[in-house]
Amino acid sequence: MKEQLIRHLEGGEAFTPLDQILEEVEYDQLGVRPDGLPYSFYELFYHIVFAQQDILNYILDEDYLVPQWPDGYWCKVQCPKNEQAWQDLKNKFFKERKELIELIERPETNLNTTIKNSKEHTLFREIMLIVEHNAYHTGQLLVVLRLLDLYS
């Protein structure tokens, strides 16, 4: 079960892996909001990263505080301030995903154990929340890429 969960976190089981999608976008297109959409590629990816971090904090941090919904989960700008900021955001996503994978891989990790900040939410539930959330928004990232003529 742990191996399957990791494969789903990494993507590619039922959708294009986020790693691959990030290679398709051009830096100068990150902040473009295609006609009719209220977000850019950057804003969507920022949201994915923030939500993953929030759930990781919920799992691990005894002093966890819930960000304000929905404003706290979305970026205030359409694009990164520079290429280094974009690279930093991508690095953050993969670093935190690796932390989740390492947590899952620990022999002592029981996926059915409730987490510190809940009497009913299990580690399995929280990881599945990340998988589902990432899959949902990964589909949106593909739509943005298609509307920008960057993906066929």
Side-chain angles (χ1 to χ4, degrees):
M1 178 183 262
K2 288 182 176 185
E3 289 174 13
Q4 288 176 336
L5 203 51
I6 290 168
R7 282 197 306 271
H8 282 286
L9 261 178
E10 292 175 337
E13 290 292 299
F15 57 92
T16 304
L18 199 45
D19 315 45
Q20 183 179 332
I21 292 169
L22 291 172
E23 292 175 13
E24 301 289 331
V25 68
E26 297 171 8
Y27 177 77
D28 64 341
Q29 297 291 306
L30 286 172
V32 176
R33 289 181 175 172
D35 282 343
L37 292 183
Y39 43 71
S40 65
F41 189 97
Y42 175 76
E43 289 169 292
L44 279 171
F45 184 64
Y46 175 93
H47 175 70
I48 290 170
V49 175
F50 187 91
Q52 177 178 265
Q53 175 193 23
D54 180 51
I55 295 170
L56 183 60
N57 290 344
Y58 181 59
I59 293 168
L60 299 175
D61 188 356
E62 291 183 24
D63 298 322
Y64 172 77
L65 296 172
V66 180
Q68 182 182 354
W69 175 258
D71 295 338
Y73 288 82
W74 290 92
C75 192
K76 306 283 186 252
V77 296
Q78 281 182 240
C79 61
K81 62 182 174 183
N82 55 44
E83 290 190 43
Q84 186 59 54
W86 173 236
Q87 190 60 50
D88 291 346
L89 185 65
K90 293 187 292 184
N91 290 343
K92 178 178 178 53
F93 173 80
F94 292 113
K95 177 183 174 282
E96 290 172 350
R97 186 173 77 179
K98 185 175 188 236
E99 284 181 50
L100 285 163
I101 290 170
E102 288 171 353
L103 175 63
I104 294 167
E105 290 177 327
R106 291 182 194 152
E108 69 273 14
T109 296
N110 179 345
L111 297 172
N112 293 314
T113 300
T114 53
I115 61 168
K116 295 175 186 178
N117 289 297
S118 175
K119 293 180 180 168
E120 59 187 48
H121 296 161
T122 64
L123 179 57
F124 179 77
R125 178 214 186 252
E126 296 308 309
I127 292 170
M128 283 305 300
L129 203 58
I130 292 170
V131 168
E132 292 171 351
H133 185 263
N134 288 357
Y136 176 82
H137 289 298
T138 295
Q140 290 178 315
L141 288 172
L142 279 174
V143 168
V144 170
L145 287 178
R146 286 184 173 138
L147 291 172
L148 296 174
D149 291 323
L150 297 173
Y151 191 87
S152 55

